[in-house]
Structure formats: C-alpha cells, structure tokens
Amino acid sequence: MSTLSSLSTATSLSNIPKMVPPRGNTLLNLHLPSSQFCPNLNFNTNRSLFTLFTSTHKPQFRCKSRPRTSVQCLFTGIVEEIGRVKHLGIAEHGGFDLEITAKTVLEGVNLGDSIAVNGTCLTVTAFDHQLSEFKVGLAPETLRKTSLVELTPGTPVNLERAVQPISRMGGHFVQGHVDGTGEIISMDPEGDSLWIKVKTSEALLNYIVPKGFIAVDGTSLTVVDVFDEEKAFNFMLVAYTQKNVVIPLKKVGQLVNLEVDILGKYVQRLLSTGAINPIESP
C-alpha cells in the first residue's frame, strides 16, 4: 500500500483536497486544519501546518528477531551518532512512521529496543542492516509534544541507544520523555565555543537551575544561566560537542526538545503534596 493510499485509509476522510505533487521532489505540504487531517491531532494553531513526506520506494525491512516484552528506556544524554531522516509519514496502522539511516545504533539492535531520537525515546519496529536504516513508530501525542513534527527528509538527528548495566554514565539520567520544547533565540560564538540561548515555558523554566543538568535534543548539557524575565536559559557547546550533535546545525527560531532533570520534578511533587516540609531559612 502506498503512503498516499494509507493516508486515506488511516483518516477515513472523503473531504481531503486533491494534492498536487510539487515540482522536483516528493514533499507534500498539507495546509489542513487539524480536524481535517486527523481527528486525534490537535496541533497548536501557530503550528497547525503539518508536512507529510512520501517516497516512491519503500524499503523492504528484514526483521531478524521477535519483539521483546521488556522496555528499556534510560539514556545518558551522550549522543552516539548523528543519523539522517529518510521518511516521515502516515503508517498503514493509522499512526506515523519515522525511518532513519544510521550505523552505530544498529549494532546489536533488536525489535522493541529503545533509541532516543533527538531526546525522544522511541521503539524500533523494523531495521535493515544492509540498508543501514531503522524504523520507529510515532504517536500523535509525540508529535504534539516534541519538535519531531518539524523533521524533513535529510534532517540530521541525535541518536542514542538505551544504556546497559555495564555502560559508563558519561552524562546524566535521561528518560527520553520530552517535557516540552524550547525555541533557540540566539547563537553566539566565543572563540571555538558556541553560546546558545533557549526560550521555553515558565512551567519548564521552574525546573531549570544554573549549573544543573538538562537534555537538549537528547544531549546532556549543563545550564550556565537562567533568565527569568526572558523565560530563557543558556548553555555553551565546546568545539568537540559542536561536531557531534545536531544543535549547532539548527538556526535561530527552530525548536529543540527539552527534558529537565527528573530529580527536580520529584522534589516539586513531594513539596506540593506536603509529603515533606520545605526547609525554612534560619
């Protein structure tokens, strides 16, 4: 079944306007209200435009092992490699499929394994070692809460496999559960380093502290300063990190996935429920 026919099957809508293929590529822009596109997708009105990618050739994935029932979803925020998006579109089952070309994260891969894509924990549903690519499924909620909706064919993405008990913890504990997104508002070089400032919601900013951990597009980073009035924070990327993550490849105005330190969320929960009393100043 082709991607376009699966779109019709998945949405069961008869009023989708006729789509005219663009010139020179296979990119289709659907200027549709979210209710027309899919009943389960309610994008923010500022980002109601969803880009659907189609390709004339679908890879034949060779699945070499059976799905595992265990869920492994713990990461360190140390990016293993930068992959490239091959395809993002409607799946035959009604969800969304994301296909990525990669090599390192395919070593020892099994169906059901967790791979963080730009900091989002996703489950491998198919893979092909010969073509050096794998497929993951995306739920509508994942697209609503992350920047993955902005991915296009050829876009680089950070990739990290879930850690094993023998792995070195080079970063910090990252679950791959994106808390929200932030917008890059400045990128300023200093020597061979790069200062990046990100604006986010006040709710997320409450969990971000100077010298604290944060995962930006799945990269474990240390917050330098927090700017409450701007609702922003910044961090610095050294030369080595710039060459091994996707953040420097983005531009001002683009979104990044954010996952705050889980310890802060636990503390806030305990304080709000009265399970523990706040420390009073002497």
Side-chain angles (χ1 to χ4, degrees):
M1 181 179 293
S2 67
T3 303
L4 290 178
S5 61
S6 64
L7 170 60
S8 176
T9 302
T11 57
S12 300
L13 294 174
S14 60
N15 59 344
I16 296 178
K18 183 179 180 181
M19 295 179 289
V20 179
R23 299 175 183 175
N25 57 43
T26 57
L27 186 63
L28 296 179
N29 291 323
L30 298 184
H31 296 261
L32 298 176
S34 58
S35 59
Q36 284 183 290
F37 180 68
C38 179
N40 295 324
L41 279 177
N42 295 310
F43 291 111
N44 184 288
T45 54
N46 293 328
R47 294 188 173 275
S48 60
L49 194 63
F50 182 78
T51 305
L52 174 66
F53 307 100
T54 62
S55 61
T56 57
H57 172 71
K58 296 285 288 183
Q60 299 297 317
F61 288 96
R62 288 176 276 278
C63 304
K64 298 184 179 180
S65 61
R66 302 176 65 180
R68 299 187 301 179
T69 57
S70 61
V71 177
Q72 301 180 23
C73 202
L74 182 65
F75 307 92
T76 66
I78 304 300
V79 176
E80 292 188 277
E81 74 171 310
I82 295 178
R84 294 276 175 177
V85 173
K86 182 175 182 180
H87 172 83
L88 171 62
I90 300 293
E92 294 183 3
H93 54 71
F96 298 86
D97 278 337
L98 174 61
E99 296 168 13
I100 299 172
T101 58
K103 291 184 178 180
T104 301
V105 297
L106 291 181
E107 296 175 3
V109 69
N110 290 284
L111 293 181
D113 279 356
S114 295
I115 294 179
V117 180
N118 277 358
T120 308
C121 178
L122 300 174
T123 301
V124 175
T125 58
F127 60 90
D128 190 316
H129 286 294
Q130 292 184 350
L131 296 177
S132 296
E133 58 190 48
F134 68 97
K135 181 189 295 184
V136 293
L138 295 174
E141 179 70 3
T142 304
L143 294 176
R144 282 192 290 263
K145 292 295 180 67
T146 70
S147 65
L148 298 184
V149 70
E150 295 185 339
L151 296 179
T152 62
T155 300
V157 288
N158 289 330
L159 299 176
E160 182 192 355
R161 292 168 292 186
V163 299
Q164 297 178 338
I166 61 173
S167 300
R168 290 190 178 94
M169 291 295 296
H172 71 284
F173 288 112
V174 177
Q175 293 182 298
H177 302 161
V178 175
D179 294 302
T181 58
E183 178 185 348
I184 298 175
I185 57 176
S186 68
M187 303 177 75
D188 301 309
E190 181 181 347
D192 63 354
S193 296
L194 182 65
W195 285 98
I196 297 180
K197 183 182 287 188
V198 175
K199 183 177 182 179
T200 188
S201 66
E202 185 175 353
L204 277 187
L205 201 65
N206 289 332
Y207 296 102
I208 302 174
V209 297
K211 306 303 182 289
F213 285 125
I214 190 167
V216 180
D217 274 347
T219 305
S220 176
L221 297 168
T222 301
V223 176
V224 178
D225 289 307
V226 176
F227 309 92
D228 291 316
E229 293 184 359
E230 298 180 66
K231 297 181 181 178
F233 67 95
N234 69 353
F235 54 88
M236 176 178 276
L237 299 178
V238 298
Y240 176 83
T241 305
Q242 292 177 52
K243 297 176 182 179
N244 291 278
V245 301
V246 302
I247 302 171
L249 302 177
K250 294 192 171 184
K251 300 178 181 178
V252 172
Q254 285 192 276
L255 298 180
V256 290
N257 290 326
L258 301 177
E259 181 182 338
V260 298
D261 192 345
I262 190 174
L263 294 179
K265 291 188 285 187
Y266 277 124
V267 171
Q268 191 276 338
R269 175 65 177 169
L270 291 171
L271 290 172
S272 64
T273 59
I276 59 175
N277 297 319
I279 300 175
E280 297 182 359
S281 301

